[in-house]
Amino acid sequence: MRRAARIATLTAVALGTLLLGGCGIFGGAKNTRPPTALQPIKTTLKVEKLWSSAIGNGNGGYFLHLRPYVSGDRLYAADQGGTVAAYATKDGRRQWSVDTGHKLVGGVVGGDGMLFVGTQDGMVLGISVKQRGVVWRTQLSSEVMALSDVSEGEVVAHTNDGKLFAIDDATGNVLWSHASEPPNLILRGKSRPVISGGNVIAGFSDGKLAAFSLDTGAQLWQLTVGEPRGASELQRLVDVDGRIALSDSGNTVYAASYNGRVVAAQTQGGQLEWSHKMSSYAGLALGPNAVFVSDADSDIWALDRGNGASLWKQDALHFREVTTPVVVGKYVVVGDYAGYLHWLSAADGSLLAREQVGGGAIQATPVAVNGTLYVQTAGGSLAAYRVLGPSGKTGNPASEPSSSNRVGGFNF
């Protein structure tokens, strides 16, 4: 369980301790499991960086999952210092920006002509794209760690104390809320709620996955993804913090827990379809026939979507603190603590290409839209990449930070 002390930002909820940034987020724990050094690979994909830009102070030294939001010909990004900015997806040029006046920890999401971000002081901010400014602020119970996509005029916020809030996207009014009782010790982070068919599905720090009515907030079902086991609180961590995914039909939801399992369940009723024992804090992504999972040791897995059986495993990125996978056509892409993007074959998991973005760790899952991959680093670098075709070169990794100088993906 030393891994938990290194890769997870632990929050002592009972004491109200907010352990953010620097060595404090891991209690100064020594890195006892250094990341696997990158080995040269035969690059069989030609990947082009389309552009690069920057967004303020990035994560500001905090462990955050601020990620871009893409809509039409614009990309929107936020930094921890409070800036939200719009960029042209064609060339990365900044179009406009707004200083929200708050420290930001969650977002960006958008819809209905609005952008939404969550703040460290417990607010959701609604930003009008047309007016290019904050039009409403809604105070919630604690840090707003994650926000759902917009659906039916609502956005759902997940706060650090384990609560859900459904918010009217036009006015900021809270329509309903749901409170859960988190354990004393939790991983830092919250799963993004997903909305489908009038339901909201979210994962919680007690290892549960649950569905709620988007209209009323009434709980519809609950499923145990991870069961707390062990003598210590560290051993009993079972947070469902990673990315949750829905099938295209909306009939099946897929989720993973730390110290638990990967599950597939019916969205109507929550009946379990299959489970696969695995520990993951990053979560998963869906391909046409497989579920791609980053496990707690940063090994990448492909599981059969129909029954959860293992199809392949790639362990060349062991302990490199990789992101949730993102599917881009025939490829699976993850980022790591040293700012590298890795392209894998979705068919067999082989490493096909790598690029170093620069600007610190990649903590937030990259975003794929129409074959273009957009990424934001902890240092505030923004970049766009596209696969152009086959390549036959051999790539050697550039120098990367010493494992003795990093804690949880931060370089000191």
Side-chain angles (χ1 to χ4, degrees), residues 32-315:
T32 57
R33 288 184 171 181
T36 297
L38 294 180
Q39 301 300 316
I41 63 171
K42 182 177 181 180
T43 302
T44 56
L45 285 182
K46 185 178 182 181
V47 177
E48 179 185 23
K49 178 184 277 190
L50 303 179
W51 53 258
S52 60
S53 191
I55 175 69
N57 73 336
N59 290 358
Y62 291 63
F63 187 82
L64 304 176
H65 290 94
L66 292 170
R67 65 197 296 259
Y69 166 72
V70 178
S71 178
D73 61 357
R74 292 289 182 270
L75 176 147
Y76 303 94
D79 75 343
Q80 184 270 343
T83 298
V84 177
Y87 301 80
T89 55
K90 180 180 179 180
D91 56 18
R93 292 188 180 183
R94 184 179 288 206
Q95 305 297 302
W96 54 265
S97 65
V98 57
D99 182 358
T100 66
H102 297 265
K103 303 298 183 183
L104 304 181
V105 296
V108 180
V109 300
D112 295 341
M114 298 283 289
L115 303 174
F116 308 95
V117 289
T119 75
Q120 184 176 317
D121 56 355
M123 289 188 181
V124 175
L125 309 181
I127 300 169
S128 168
V129 173
K130 183 177 181 179
Q131 300 179 36
R132 301 181 178 180
V134 178
V135 294
W136 55 255
R137 293 174 171 83
T138 297
Q139 182 68 57
L140 303 182
S141 57
S142 69
E143 276 189 296
V144 180
M145 304 296 293
L147 295 162
S148 73
D149 290 329
V150 176
S151 181
E152 300 181 29
E154 297 183 33
V155 60
V156 180
H158 201 168
T159 56
N160 200 41
D161 58 359
K163 296 179 181 178
L164 295 181
F165 294 86
I167 299 169
D168 185 293
D169 66 7
T171 65
N173 293 334
V174 174
L175 304 175
W176 56 262
S177 64
H178 171 82
S180 64
E181 187 66 32
N184 288 338
L185 198 63
I186 62 175
L187 299 181
R188 177 165 177 76
K190 289 289 176 285
S191 65
R192 289 185 64 204
V194 296
I195 301 175
S196 177
N199 295 345
V200 181
I201 303 175
F204 296 90
S205 297
D206 60 0
K208 301 295 195 301
L209 185 71
F212 307 85
S213 165
L214 182 61
D215 287 337
T216 67
Q219 183 169 310
L220 305 175
W221 55 260
Q222 181 175 272
L223 174 68
T224 298
V225 183
E227 188 75 34
R229 301 180 188 279
S232 72
E233 287 188 291
L234 280 176
Q235 291 174 328
R236 293 172 63 81
L237 289 169
V238 290
D239 302 51
V240 182
D241 279 350
R243 184 177 183 269
I244 297 167
L246 291 172
S247 62
D248 291 339
S249 66
N251 293 330
T252 306
V253 58
Y254 303 83
S257 78
Y258 191 70
N259 288 334
R261 54 184 181 161
V262 179
V263 300
Q266 297 176 15
T267 54
Q268 299 298 322
Q271 289 85 0
L272 183 68
E273 296 183 356
W274 56 257
S275 68
H276 185 112
K277 186 177 180 181
M278 187 180 296
S279 178
S280 174
Y281 59 88
L284 47 81
L286 297 184
N289 302 304
V291 182
F292 301 102
V293 189
S294 297
D295 75 14
D297 291 334
S298 289
D299 296 336
I300 316 302
W301 296 73
L303 306 179
D304 188 289
R305 276 185 59 167
N307 57 26
S310 177
L311 301 176
W312 53 255
K313 175 186 177 182
Q314 174 56 263
D315 61 5

Side-chain angles (χ1 to χ4, degrees), residues 45 47-52 67-70 75 89 285 323-329 331-336 339-344 353-357 362 364-376 381-388:
L45 285 182
V47 177
E48 179 185 23
K49 178 184 277 190
L50 303 179
W51 53 258
S52 60
R67 65 197 296 259
Y69 166 72
V70 178
L75 176 147
T89 55
T323 65
T324 311
V326 59
V327 178
V328 189
Y331 314 110
V332 177
V333 185
V334 295
D336 74 11
Y340 283 97
L341 290 168
H342 306 269
W343 277 259
L344 291 74
R354 72 164 64 103
E355 294 286 334
Q356 189 171 28
V357 180
I362 302 173
T365 307
V367 176
V369 179
N370 297 327
T372 299
L373 188 75
Y374 302 94
V375 61
Q376 178 174 340
S381 294
L382 294 168
Y385 293 85
R386 181 177 283 270
V387 172
L388 298 182

